[in-house]
């Protein structure tokens, strides 16, 4: 799972633990997972179910728990069932039951997940009436299970797709059915289900469902676990941006825009081929989505399909019939001139990689989920902005479920709208930005001024130099214990990349031996420890939890646990969750006791109840991580970029920011208004357009003076405009209000000196910003750690008619900067030491 998904599971468990205590005291509870579209709510829920069945620090294992997943439509049930099956090892095929008309049981069987939808619960449905050999209605089964299990019966209400393909009448019916379960119904003989888990794109959506419930005698406390949409985007599950193209002087007609769209698709296809081949992974086979108008009296669509295909072929050459497909309501293959557009179900597009061009009329269809759809062209009119936005909302998922390192083009979706004027375009943009129910949180940019710059030819040696630079990634990333980071790092070095065949075994030994040493010390000094292990029939456990390697006492009374084999096994499983990476099993195997196999399991649990063991483990594992990175940095640097990124992610998961490897982008994309009078063309840039030019707008006259002075030097061989907040930009951390904050120095300059290439950081720096001096300290700390990777690291100011430079990579200057306490103090140093 992604880090934000793991965090969501932990927060759900904490809230469920509180809710379950209330249910046991007779209350009614609901916990809502507010999970934006594209965030993997099914994966999160599957992990939550696993945790409940196996037990955690927050919730003791419930092997007999029952889960009833409620949604609107059979298609959604099947889709969710398949995703759960793919996401979990704990629940297998016979544990995932779709309730059909033949289902007839007094209670649901424990340890299983059942799926049901509102369409099966109407009065005329077989499930809801006795007779024809039916002993129990589904209402009776639900009520019996709820009464028998109490807080161990979980009603999961999936609100995430609600209303997308429903009429108002259908949606009202679904609401009514759900409220019978939430409120109870005397006529049906059912009491309110005590424990409800809601899945919704926004919390308000679930609360709207509960509308009217709190005005009755049935009172239910609702707790909300909300996933930050920015966490979803930064995780790499979603494309970074949606780029919108619409008519202007350059694109005067729909057919010209279609030509432009298919060129973009072919460009993206080519970039994917280059990337997947370079990384040794399967092809992505990007698709283009073409949305056409409704039918006319005589034709299946008002859009000229024959002209569409001819336009496509005029740009990319002949297209085979198998590469064309449609998802119209008409269930037939459609002849178009000499071509045939075959019918395909929306849910099958992703896996049918022969399909390159898909024709739609309306937008989202149940089952539509196609991450390989990269470009969309719509012939529909401006009034359909809602439909268009919903369709695009299903295209922004990344094909590899991660951001593509060093890429901007492959981290974007392109949308072409020939029938949209500026006003209509704004409606689409506003909808894409505001409708979190159906559109994931993705940046939206207008594409008509989009400039794409590619690596300068014959300059690979300069990009190799850039790729040796340290940088930081400060987007919100879930921090991970050093124990888990060390095992992940060691596994990469040993099992995946054959860099260090002993790293994994040595790291496991370090962790296991450290724990065992603590165990021996406890056994020698703490008589109660030995008694608990060897004599006690029951032990008292203080409530503690371990998160990110940090031991914490949590609220709650100590609990007494009878030391049965089953309970010891549960405690042992909890050890596995605290340590991660299967280390509890490794410990048990190494210190297995043939005469008493359960003894090392109990010893491990009791040892891991102690705070000191985790403090020592975190320190020892952190030191081993630093050693392994330092020892193998050259071998890691030789790997493919997608593999280097795996090591970077381990660095990013540290609680204190750690440097990662800079990955120079394959291309950069810049929103550039060519009518801006400040636009300039600059020589020697490392990224250029098809005419070998680099156009950009610099923020001030002295920024232009700074870089122009470098360009004119003979020893300067290249430079890079280090744009703010690009995924690839070189980042320097600095402390501001107790948090690590990102700064992006303006320029990286490569110069040749004595046969070597040297990279300089140049930062033309305003002196009127409040955090100016804090950024200077950040640069100084960066220099202190990484001074060998750079030549100059300069803060630059204009004083009078000249530029003054303060080289922080100079030891004397750096020491002074590290002592700075204010902007005035920094100015004093500038006046004394700047050149």
């Amino acid at each position: 799972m992604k880090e934000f998904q793991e965090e969501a599971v932990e927060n759900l468990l904490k809230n469920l633990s509180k809710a379950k205590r209330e249910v046991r005291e007779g209350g009614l509870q609901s916990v809502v997972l507010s999970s934006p579209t594209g965030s993997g709510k099914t994966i999160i829920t599957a992990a939550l179910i696993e945790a409940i069945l196996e037990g955690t620090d927050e919730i003791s294992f419930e092997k007999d728990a029952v889960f009833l997943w409620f949604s609107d439509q059979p298609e959604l049930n099947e889709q969710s069932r398949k995703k759960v099956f793919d996401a979990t090892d704990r629940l297998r095929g016979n544990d995932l039951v779709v309730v059909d008309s033949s289902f007839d049981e007094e209670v649901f069987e424990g340890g299983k997940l059942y799926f049901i939808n509102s369409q099966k619960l109407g009065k005329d449905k077989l499930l809801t009436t006795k007779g024809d050999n039916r002993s129990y209605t589904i209402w009776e089964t639900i009520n019996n299970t709820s009464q028998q299990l109490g807080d161990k019966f979980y009603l999961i209400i999936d609100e995430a797709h609600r209303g997308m393909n429903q009429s108002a009448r259908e949606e009202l019916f679904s609401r009514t059915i759900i409220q019978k379960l939430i409120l109870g119904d005397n006529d049906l003989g059912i009491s309110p289900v005590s424990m409800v888990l809601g899945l919704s794109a926004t919390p308000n959506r679930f609360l709207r469902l509960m509308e009217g419930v709190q005005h009755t005698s049935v009172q239910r406390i609702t707790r909300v676990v909300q996933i930050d949409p920015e966490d979803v985007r930064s995780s790499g599950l979603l494309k970074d941006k949606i780029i919108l193209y619409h008519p202007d002087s350059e694109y005067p007609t729909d057919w010209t825009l279609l030509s432009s769209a298919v060129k973009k698709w072919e460009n993206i296809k080519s970039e994917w081929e280059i990337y997947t081949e370079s990384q040794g992974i399967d092809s992505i086979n990007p698709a283009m989505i073409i949305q056409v108008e409704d039918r006319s009296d005589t034709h299946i669509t008002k859009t000229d399909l024959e002209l569409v295909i001819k336009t496509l072929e005029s740009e990319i050459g002949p297209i085979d019939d198998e590469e064309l497909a449609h998802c119209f309501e008409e269930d037939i293959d459609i002849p178009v001139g000499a071509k045939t557009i075959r019918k395909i179900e929306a849910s099958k597009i992703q896996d049918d990689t022969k399909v390159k061009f898909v024709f739609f009329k309306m937008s989202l269809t149940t089952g539509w989920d196609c991450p390989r759809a990269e470009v969309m062209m719509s012939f529909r009119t401006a009034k359909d902005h809602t439909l268009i936005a919903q369709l695009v909302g299903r295209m922004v998922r990344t094909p590899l479920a991660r951001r593509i390192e060093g890429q901007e083009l492959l981290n974007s979706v392109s949308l072409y709208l020939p029938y949209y004027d500026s006003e209509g375009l704004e409606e689409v943009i506003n909808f894409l930005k505001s409708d979190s129910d159906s559109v994931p949180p993705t940046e939206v940019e207008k594409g008509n001024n989009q400039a794409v710059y590619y690596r300068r030819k014959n300059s690979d040696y300069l990009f190799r130099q850039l790729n040796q630079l340290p940088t930081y990634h400060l987007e919100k990333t879930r921090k991970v214990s050093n124990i888990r980071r060390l095992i992940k790092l060691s596994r990469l070095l040993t099992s995946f990349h054959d860099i260090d065949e002993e790293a994994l075994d040595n790291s496991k030994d370090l962790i296991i031996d450290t724990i065992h040493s603590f165990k021996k010390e406890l056994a020698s000094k703490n008589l109660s420890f030995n008694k608990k292990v060897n004599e006690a029939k029951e032990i008292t456990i203080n409530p503690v939890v371990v998160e990110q390697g940090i031991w914490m006492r949590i609220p709650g009374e100590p609990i007494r646990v009878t030391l049965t084999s089953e309970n010891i096994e549960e405690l042992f499983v909890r050890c596995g969750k605290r340590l991660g990476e299967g280390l509890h099993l490794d410990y048990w195997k190494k210190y297995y006791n043939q005469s008493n196999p359960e003894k090392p399991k109990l010893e491990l649990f009791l040892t891991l109840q102690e705070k000191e063991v985790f403090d020592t483990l975190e320190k020892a594992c952190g030191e081993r991580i630093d050693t392994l990175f330092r020892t193998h940095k050259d071998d890691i640097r030789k790997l493919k970029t997608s593999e280097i990124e795996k090591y970077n992610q381990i660095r990013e998961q540290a609680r204190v920011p750690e440097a990662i490897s800079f990955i120079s982008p394959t291309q950069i994309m810049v929103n550039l208004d060519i009518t801006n009078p400040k636009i300039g063309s600059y020589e020697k840039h490392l990224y250029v357009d098809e005419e070998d030019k680099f156009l950009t707008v610099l923020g001030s006259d002295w920024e232009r003076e700074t870089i122009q002075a470098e360009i004119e030097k003979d020893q300067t061989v290249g430079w890079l405009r280090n744009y703010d907040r690009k995924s690839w930009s070189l980042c320097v951390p600095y402390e501001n209000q107790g948090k690590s904050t990102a700064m992006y120095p303006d320029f990286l300059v490569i110069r040749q000196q004595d046969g070597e290439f040297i990279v300089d950081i140049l930062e033309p720096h305003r002196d009127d910003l409040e955090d100016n001096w804090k950024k200077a300290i950040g640069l100084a700390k960066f220099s202190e750690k990484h001074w060998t990777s750079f030549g100059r690291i300069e803060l630059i100011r204009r004083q009078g008619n000249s530029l003054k430079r303060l080289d922080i990579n100079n030891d004397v200057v750096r020491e002074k900067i590290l002592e700075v306490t204010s902007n005035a103090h920094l100015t004093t140093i500038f006046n004394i030491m700047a050149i």
Side-chain angles (χ1 to χ4, degrees):
M1 290 195 298
K2 298 293 185 180
E3 290 86 355
F4 78 86
Q5 294 171 334
E6 292 179 349
E7 187 173 7
V9 173
E10 288 181 3
N11 290 333
L12 284 167
L13 287 167
K14 291 175 185 176
N15 281 275
L16 278 174
S17 176
K18 297 172 185 175
K20 287 168 70 65
R21 286 198 294 270
E22 297 286 342
V23 169
R24 288 193 290 269
E25 294 174 4
L28 299 176
Q29 298 286 309
S30 60
V31 176
V32 181
L33 171 62
S34 174
S35 182
T37 303
S39 60
K41 54 93 180 170
T42 307
I43 291 173
I44 294 169
T45 309
L48 177 67
I49 292 171
E50 272 192 341
I52 292 171
L53 291 172
E54 295 177 351
T56 70
D57 284 332
E58 292 85 2
I59 296 176
S60 296
F61 80 118
E62 300 176 353
K63 65 177 183 179
D64 58 342
V66 169
F67 306 87
L68 180 60
W69 191 303
F70 185 97
S71 66
D72 291 327
Q73 303 161 50
E75 294 92 340
L76 293 176
N77 279 155
E78 182 55 36
Q79 195 177 81
S80 297
R81 191 200 67 81
K82 183 178 184 303
K83 287 183 178 180
V84 171
F85 180 80
D86 292 339
T88 176
D89 296 323
R90 176 64 175 77
L91 295 169
R92 305 319 304 151
N94 62 345
D95 297 322
L96 304 173
V97 182
V98 176
V99 176
D100 59 24
S101 58
S102 65
F103 185 87
D104 184 17
E105 299 290 343
E106 181 179 5
V107 294
F108 293 114
E109 185 179 348
K112 294 184 182 295
L113 170 59
Y114 293 84
F115 296 89
I116 197 165
N117 62 82
S118 57
Q119 296 179 26
K120 294 180 179 178
L121 297 179
K123 292 182 179 179
D124 58 337
K125 305 300 180 184
L126 294 175
L127 276 172
T128 57
T129 54
K130 290 184 179 180
D132 295 327
N133 299 317
R134 173 171 298 285
S135 301
Y136 302 95
T137 69
I138 191 64
W139 298 116
E140 290 174 330
T141 305
I142 292 171
N143 192 61
N144 292 340
T145 308
S146 179
Q147 295 298 309
Q148 187 177 112
L149 293 182
D151 68 309
K152 295 181 182 179
F153 178 54
Y154 301 85
L155 173 63
I156 302 172
I157 299 176
D158 186 355
E159 274 283 295
H161 298 91
R162 185 169 301 279
M164 285 186 179
N165 294 288
Q166 287 185 296
S167 67
R169 181 178 179 181
E170 289 171 329
E171 186 166 5
L172 178 61
F173 176 72
S174 294
R175 275 173 87 88
T176 303
I177 294 293
I178 291 172
Q179 289 191 345
K180 290 180 185 297
L181 296 170
I182 293 173
L183 289 170
D185 189 305
N186 291 331
D187 293 336
L188 294 173
I190 60 172
S191 301
V193 174
S194 301
M195 181 65 71
V196 174
L197 175 62
L199 310 179
S200 188
T202 64
N204 288 338
R205 193 166 183 171
F206 186 82
L207 295 175
R208 286 199 302 269
L209 174 70
M210 304 280 286
E211 222 170 80
V213 170
Q214 303 297 7
H215 298 297
T216 70
S217 59
V218 178
Q219 295 297 307
R220 184 181 297 271
I221 297 174
T222 300
R223 293 176 167 88
V224 177
V225 173
Q226 192 159 2
I227 293 175
D228 186 343
E230 180 57 28
D231 290 347
V232 185
R233 193 192 64 78
S234 63
S235 73
L237 283 178
L238 304 178
K239 297 288 183 70
D240 287 334
K241 64 181 74 171
I242 301 168
I243 305 173
L244 304 185
Y245 298 86
H246 67 106
D248 63 9
S249 57
E250 291 187 38
Y251 302 113
T253 70
D254 45 7
W255 304 107
T256 305
L257 209 58
L258 177 61
S259 294
S260 179
V262 74
K263 286 178 184 176
K264 173 60 71 71
W265 170 82
E266 190 171 35
N267 186 11
I268 290 173
K269 177 174 174 288
S270 175
E271 288 294 328
W272 269 122
E273 288 170 352
I274 293 170
Y275 178 79
T276 53
E277 184 177 349
S278 71
Q279 305 301 315
I281 58 179
D282 292 340
S283 299
I284 295 301
N285 302 302
M288 179 175 172
I289 308 302
I290 302 172
Q291 191 176 38
V292 299
E293 299 168 280
D294 294 331
R295 68 178 304 126
S296 68
D297 293 337
T298 56
H299 292 82
I300 204 164
T301 171
K302 295 174 186 174
T303 304
D304 188 337
L305 294 178
E306 188 170 2
L307 183 53
V308 170
I309 294 173
K310 285 182 179 179
T311 303
L312 298 179
E313 290 189 320
S314 69
E315 296 294 341
I316 64 171
I319 298 173
D320 295 334
D321 283 2
E322 65 181 5
E323 297 172 336
L324 300 168
H326 76 84
C327 291
F328 301 159
E329 63 273 19
E330 291 82 3
D331 195 20
I332 56 172
D333 295 342
I334 300 171
V336 178
K339 304 288 183 184
T340 299
I341 305 176
R342 60 186 170 104
K343 171 74 175 185
I344 190 171
E345 293 180 25
S347 60
K348 295 181 179 179
I349 297 170
Q350 174 66 17
D351 294 330
D352 190 342
T353 55
K354 292 179 180 179
V355 176
K356 294 180 179 177
F357 303 97
V358 182
F359 295 83
F360 273 81
K361 288 183 186 177
M362 302 299 285
S363 73
L364 188 66
T365 304
T366 301
W368 159 256
D369 193 3
C370 189
R372 69 182 183 92
E374 302 274 6
V375 178
M376 175 181 162
M377 167 79 178
S378 176
F379 284 93
R380 300 186 75 89
T381 59
K383 66 181 181 181
D384 284 338
H385 61 271
T386 301
L387 302 178
I388 287 171
Q390 287 182 341
L391 177 58
V392 174
R394 306 298 286 183
M395 293 172 59
V396 298
R397 291 160 171 77
T398 49
L400 299 179
R402 63 174 172 84
R403 179 179 286 112
I404 306 304
E405 69 286 349
Q407 278 278 356
E408 289 199 68
L409 187 62
L410 300 186
N411 291 319
S412 64
V413 168
S414 297
L415 172 58
Y416 291 78
L417 302 174
Y419 290 114
Y420 278 67
D421 55 18
S422 297
E423 183 178 345
L425 192 72
E426 288 300 324
E427 289 182 340
V428 174
I429 292 173
N430 291 336
F431 192 89
L432 287 169
K433 289 183 175 181
S434 63
D435 183 27
S436 55
D437 279 10
S438 56
V439 185
T442 309
E443 292 296 320
V444 183
E445 293 183 1
K446 295 179 182 179
N448 292 18
N449 293 329
Q450 199 84 29
V452 181
Y453 297 110
Y454 292 88
R455 287 183 174 186
R456 198 173 77 194
K457 294 178 182 177
N458 304 317
S459 298
D460 288 350
Y461 59 100
L462 297 180
F463 294 108
R464 285 195 293 270
Q465 190 71 28
L466 285 181
N467 289 344
Q468 296 181 35
L469 300 178
T471 183
Y472 288 78
H473 181 214
L474 297 183
E475 286 191 14
K476 185 178 177 183
T477 302
R478 175 177 163 79
K479 305 310 176 186
V480 175
S481 71
N482 285 342
I483 300 171
R484 294 177 186 245
R485 291 176 64 227
L486 175 60
I487 296 300
K488 287 180 180 179
L489 172 59
S490 302
R491 186 173 288 119
L492 286 175
L493 292 170
T494 298
S495 305
F496 286 82
H497 299 134
D498 298 322
I499 291 174
D500 183 343
E501 63 181 16
E502 297 180 347
L504 185 56
D505 287 341
N506 289 343
S507 295
K508 286 184 176 181
D509 286 343
L510 170 68
I511 295 166
I512 291 168
D513 292 346
T514 299
I515 295 171
H516 192 63
S517 295
F518 259 90
K519 190 274 299 184
K520 289 195 296 184
E521 186 175 347
L522 284 168
S524 65
K525 295 181 179 180
N526 190 332
L527 294 177
S528 66
F529 182 88
N530 289 320
K531 186 174 182 179
K532 289 176 182 177
V533 171
N534 298 312
E535 302 174 21
K537 304 297 182 184
E538 186 179 79
I539 61 173
T540 300
I541 299 176
N542 290 318
V544 301
V545 66
V546 179
E547 294 181 358
Q548 304 169 24
I550 300 174
W551 182 100
M552 292 179 291
R553 179 77 181 261
I554 56 176
E557 296 297 322
I559 60 171
R560 301 191 68 80
V561 177
T562 304
L563 293 180
T564 63
S565 295
E566 188 177 48
N567 287 344
I568 291 174
E569 187 62 30
E570 185 212 347
L571 298 178
F572 184 57
V573 170
R574 286 163 67 176
C575 294
K577 294 184 183 299
R578 290 180 182 181
L579 292 172
E581 303 294 340
L583 286 165
H584 65 311
L585 296 172
D586 292 313
Y587 181 94
W588 183 66
K589 290 174 184 176
K590 186 167 184 177
Y591 296 108
Y592 177 76
N593 186 321
Q594 188 171 3
S595 62
N596 188 357
E598 292 174 348
K599 181 178 179 179
K601 296 180 179 180
L602 185 55
E603 287 177 332
L604 178 60
F605 177 79
L606 292 172
T607 304
L608 295 183
Q609 284 289 100
E610 303 296 321
K611 177 180 184 298
E612 290 76 16
V613 71
F614 284 99
D615 293 342
T616 302
L617 281 171
E618 283 299 284
K619 184 174 185 294
C621 291
E623 291 171 351
R624 180 63 61 87
I625 289 169
D626 290 341
T627 299
L628 288 174
F629 268 120
R630 189 168 56 252
T631 302
H632 300 300
K633 64 179 181 180
D634 291 335
D635 290 318
I636 294 171
R637 194 175 288 150
K638 295 174 185 176
L639 297 171
K640 296 170 182 176
T641 55
S642 59
E643 300 304 308
I644 293 174
E645 192 64 17
K646 293 175 182 177
Y647 291 89
N648 284 344
Q649 288 170 0
I650 293 170
R651 291 286 205 187
E652 292 165 13
Q653 290 171 339
R655 285 196 294 272
V656 177
E658 294 183 3
I660 63 175
S661 298
F662 182 84
I663 297 178
S664 54
T666 302
Q667 78 288 122
I668 60 177
M669 299 173 69
V670 182
N671 216 341
L672 194 65
D673 181 2
I674 59 174
T675 64
N676 190 327
K678 294 185 178 180
I679 197 168
S681 179
Y682 296 87
E683 303 293 326
K684 295 186 180 180
H685 197 264
L686 292 171
Y687 292 83
V688 294
D689 61 18
E690 295 175 351
E691 298 177 357
D692 288 332
K693 293 181 178 180
F694 176 71
L695 304 178
T696 192
V697 176
L698 298 178
S700 64
D701 292 340
W702 50 304
E703 285 183 354
R704 290 192 290 275
E705 290 177 32
T706 296
I707 197 58
Q708 194 61 48
E710 299 299 320
I711 292 170
E712 292 172 0
K713 294 177 182 177
D714 292 338
Q715 62 265 43
T716 298
V717 293
W719 66 283
L720 174 65
R721 178 82 168 94
N722 191 48
Y723 289 95
D724 278 0
R725 306 190 183 282
K726 295 280 191 179
S727 61
W728 53 263
S729 299
L730 187 135
C731 172
V732 174
Y734 72 99
E735 292 296 315
N736 191 21
Q737 297 180 346
K739 296 182 180 179
S740 291
T741 307
M743 68 173 296
Y744 302 90
D746 283 340
F747 306 118
L748 302 180
V749 176
I750 305 180
R751 54 189 168 88
Q752 191 169 19
Q753 180 177 307
D754 299 328
E756 295 185 1
F757 295 106
I758 299 172
V759 181
D760 299 324
I761 292 177
L762 304 183
E763 169 64 358
H765 209 63
R766 290 172 53 183
D767 58 5
D768 58 338
L769 298 177
E770 184 179 347
D771 62 353
N772 191 29
W773 64 280
K774 297 176 183 178
K775 290 180 178 178
I777 292 176
L779 275 173
K781 289 182 177 179
F782 180 86
S783 168
E784 193 173 38
K785 290 181 179 179
H786 309 297
W787 63 273
T788 57
S789 298
F790 299 92
R792 299 170 291 161
I793 301 179
E794 291 187 344
L795 279 180
I796 302 171
R797 287 184 181 179
R798 166 170 271 172
Q799 292 185 351
N801 294 323
S802 62
L803 297 179
K804 294 294 184 180
R805 300 167 181 264
L806 199 62
D807 185 2
I808 297 178
N809 227 16
N810 178 294
D811 292 344
V812 176
V813 174
R814 185 193 309 125
E815 289 178 9
K816 293 294 184 183
I817 294 294
L818 289 171
E819 297 172 355
V820 166
T821 58
S822 66
N823 277 344
H825 191 175
L826 178 61
T827 297
T828 299
I829 294 176
F830 237 102
N831 292 337
I832 296 172
M833 306 189 76
I835 299 174

